[in-house]
Amino acid sequence: MKKFAMAAVGGTLAGILATTYVAGPLLAQEDARAATVYEQLDLFGDIFERIRVQYVEEVDETELIEAAIGGMLASLDPHSSYLSPDDAMQMRVQTRGEFGGLGIEVTQEEGFVKVVSPMDGTPADEAGMEAGDFITHVDGESVLGLSLDEAVDMMRGPVGSEIIITVVREGEDEPFDVSIIRDTIKLTAVRARTEGSTVVLRISTFNDQTTPNLISGLREQIAEAGGIDKVNGVVLDLRNNPGGLLNQAIRVSDEFLESGEIVSTRGRNPEDGERFNATPGDLAEGLPIVVLINGGSASASEIVAGALQDHRRAIIVGTKSFGKGSVQTVMPLRGDGAMRLTTARYYTPSGRSIQALGVSPDIIVEQPRRRPNTEEDEAATARRMRSEADLRGSLNNDSLSEDEIRQIEEDRAKAEAAADLRDDDYQLAYAIDVLKGLSALAK
């Protein structure tokens, strides 16, 4: 018994010693790390004080600290940033759908400002800005070396004022200038129209208006068509949509899914992860869907496209999306400012992250660049339009009734309208053709 007790005591002592040997170095490492952090903070204080006292010109201490905070956040990734009280207010206004500016969503790449996408109907869109454009100068001043916030500040100004932006574009040999007049940006989150028998829902942003606009727009188009049976499908046009609110992307996806996961987010700690699932009900009542995306489709747009693709609820057409697979949380700070911090990555229902990879279309369709019509083109078109009926003395077709002839003429008019759409927007025309094919197979 004594031997057993001694063995137990020996085991306890060994356990204490082992714990000490393991925990001791870990605690020492933590203490060393904390000491290093405090030393760095002391260094920051020394530098701040020397700048405040000895810099050649008097500095604003508040601006100096804000710049330091901004630099710290900018060092993390392109989407984390400090928002001054004015910037935070502007962001809150923007999510409601109305704000002042040019109407472009931008990020930073290789030191330059890169256009994620111009927003529909905004001054930047009307001036011809395109997704993928690089902005190198603003009013003749280089943006190279500036933070994204500093470059954006250069582009801000009074409504009605002019700004000259120097652009580098793939396929263009030389940089060129674009003149834009600043204006109040009023975003219509969803524009609905009908092309032939297809309802086209153009979603330009994900703000508080998006889901209500989507629901009302689709229902109005179905009613005008004469009922759901008169519609062959829906096109969700997410091209050049830079994203927006995560909850709106989830709600839009939910409108077309009956069940299953929509998106999941995973943060630094496993317990911080979230999963969002669809609820019963399909706004399109099972109609086939085509989703249009391109390199300007980012963030919330990619959540919708990825969810509908993984559930085989839609065919994705266009070109690879932007590849922004991270979630930013806006955290209020003292003094009415805010911090936008990347806190998670999001994953499609199949568990894939699209960060830096984007959503790959099921059918890749490039949008041809427009070229001006020439006299030769017009002459060739005129020659192609000649038919048997144009020949002098041609026989009449007496085998058809007036109703049959009228039906043929109506079908021809629809086909010509589709051809005109191909010239104006090839990707959209392709999406509509896909839905026509699916509709024909279903009959």
Side-chain angles (χ1 to χ4, degrees):
M1 185 70 181
K2 183 182 285 186
K3 288 182 180 179
F4 178 78
M6 290 299 293
V9 171
T12 303
L13 288 173
I16 293 171
L17 289 172
T19 304
T20 304
Y21 288 144
V22 173
L26 290 177
L27 291 171
Q29 289 176 13
E30 288 293 330
D31 290 342
R33 190 179 297 118
T36 301
V37 170
Y38 284 118
E39 286 174 4
Q40 294 295 317
L41 288 173
D42 286 340
L43 175 62
F44 173 80
D46 291 342
I47 293 171
F48 172 77
E49 186 60 24
R50 290 196 181 189
I51 292 173
R52 192 180 70 84
V53 175
Q54 298 180 1
Y55 187 65
V56 65
E57 295 178 355
E58 188 175 346
V59 295
D60 186 312
E61 290 91 344
T62 302
E63 291 181 0
L64 206 58
I65 293 173
E66 286 185 357
I69 295 170
M72 178 170 57
L73 288 165
S75 71
L76 300 174
D77 65 78
H79 308 293
S80 295
S81 62
Y82 171 71
L83 301 173
S84 67
D86 288 343
D87 292 340
M89 176 61 72
Q90 185 176 12
M91 187 208 64
R92 287 190 287 270
V93 171
Q94 182 170 343
T95 60
R96 293 197 294 268
E98 181 175 332
F99 56 97
L102 305 179
I104 48 175
E105 180 80 9
V106 295
T107 186
Q108 197 161 38
E109 188 173 302
E110 298 178 0
F112 293 108
V113 177
K114 184 178 181 180
V115 176
V116 175
S117 66
M119 301 172 187
D120 288 349
T122 62
D125 181 38
E126 293 170 0
M129 296 294 292
E130 296 182 4
D133 284 348
F134 282 92
I135 298 173
T136 62
H137 293 75
V138 174
D139 288 331
E141 293 186 36
S142 175
V143 299
L144 184 63
L146 298 179
S147 69
L148 185 60
D149 286 341
E150 289 171 333
V152 169
D153 284 341
M154 290 178 66
M155 289 186 274
R156 290 185 177 136
V159 170
S161 61
E162 182 185 26
I163 180 174
I164 305 294
I165 291 176
T166 303
V167 174
V168 173
R169 178 176 296 167
E170 184 178 357
E172 298 289 340
D173 295 333
E174 299 290 337
F176 57 93
D177 290 340
V178 177
S179 172
I180 305 176
I181 305 298
R182 298 179 179 94
D183 200 357
T184 299
I185 310 301
K186 294 182 180 180
L187 290 180
T188 301
V190 182
R191 290 185 173 89
R193 73 181 195 274
T194 299
E195 293 281 352
S197 300
T198 302
V199 176
V200 180
L201 298 171
R202 166 66 182 143
I203 305 177
S204 57
T205 188
F206 287 88
N207 60 26
D208 291 335
Q209 306 171 15
T210 302
T211 304
N213 286 175
L214 178 83
I215 295 170
S216 61
L218 180 55
R219 287 175 176 169
E220 286 171 7
Q221 295 302 309
I222 290 173
E224 289 178 10
I228 195 78
D229 295 338
K230 302 296 183 181
V231 176
N232 67 6
V234 175
V235 172
L236 285 183
D237 188 353
L238 299 177
R239 291 173 299 174
N240 295 330
N241 183 325
L245 300 177
L246 174 63
N247 69 328
Q248 288 295 313
I250 293 168
R251 289 184 63 190
V252 167
S253 303
D254 192 7
E255 291 298 333
F256 300 105
L257 294 173
E258 291 279 4
S259 61
E261 183 180 306
I262 294 172
V263 66
S264 62
T265 62
R266 304 176 200 172
R268 180 169 166 180
N269 300 314
E271 62 270 19
D272 293 335
E274 289 187 275
R275 178 175 294 175
F276 302 91
N277 296 315
T279 55
D282 180 355
L283 185 64
E285 298 183 30
L287 287 172
I289 299 172
V290 171
V291 177
L292 277 176
I293 61 172
N294 65 4
S297 306
S299 191
S301 299
E302 296 172 293
I303 291 176
V304 175
L308 297 185
Q309 184 181 50
D310 281 2
H311 283 286
R312 300 291 188 267
R313 181 63 185 92
I315 297 171
I316 313 299
V317 171
T319 55
K320 183 175 74 70
S321 63
F322 186 76
K324 180 181 177 293
S326 60
V327 179
Q328 282 68 47
T329 302
V330 178
M331 304 173 181
L333 301 174
R334 65 184 68 182
D336 295 328
M339 174 174 62
R340 183 166 44 212
L341 187 67
T342 299
T343 53
R345 298 174 188 264
Y346 66 74
Y347 295 79
T348 68
S350 63
R352 61 193 168 103
S353 169
I354 60 168
Q355 176 61 29
L357 296 176
V359 174
S360 297
D362 299 308
I363 305 174
I364 296 176
V365 179
E366 298 280 352
Q367 182 82 313
R369 290 191 178 274
R370 294 180 183 178
R371 61 185 182 88
N373 291 331
T374 63
E375 292 183 4
E376 292 181 4
D377 293 334
E378 293 174 359
T381 302
R383 285 194 298 272
R384 285 196 301 270
M385 289 176 65
R386 295 189 66 187
S387 66
E388 170 71 15
D390 297 320
L391 301 178
R392 184 177 299 170
S394 61
L395 299 175
N396 293 326
N397 189 328
D398 56 4
S399 65
L400 299 174
S401 67
E402 290 185 2
D403 288 340
E404 289 172 327
I405 292 173
R406 184 166 56 252
Q407 183 62 48
I408 289 172
E409 290 175 346
E410 288 177 359
D411 291 342
R412 182 181 297 131
K414 291 179 181 178
E416 289 173 353
D420 290 339
L421 181 61
R422 244 175 245 118
D423 291 335
D424 185 55
D425 190 339
Y426 183 79
Q427 289 175 322
L428 177 58
Y430 193 102
I432 291 172
D433 286 343
V434 168
L435 290 174
K436 285 181 182 176
L438 293 173
S439 179
L441 289 174
K443 291 180 179 178

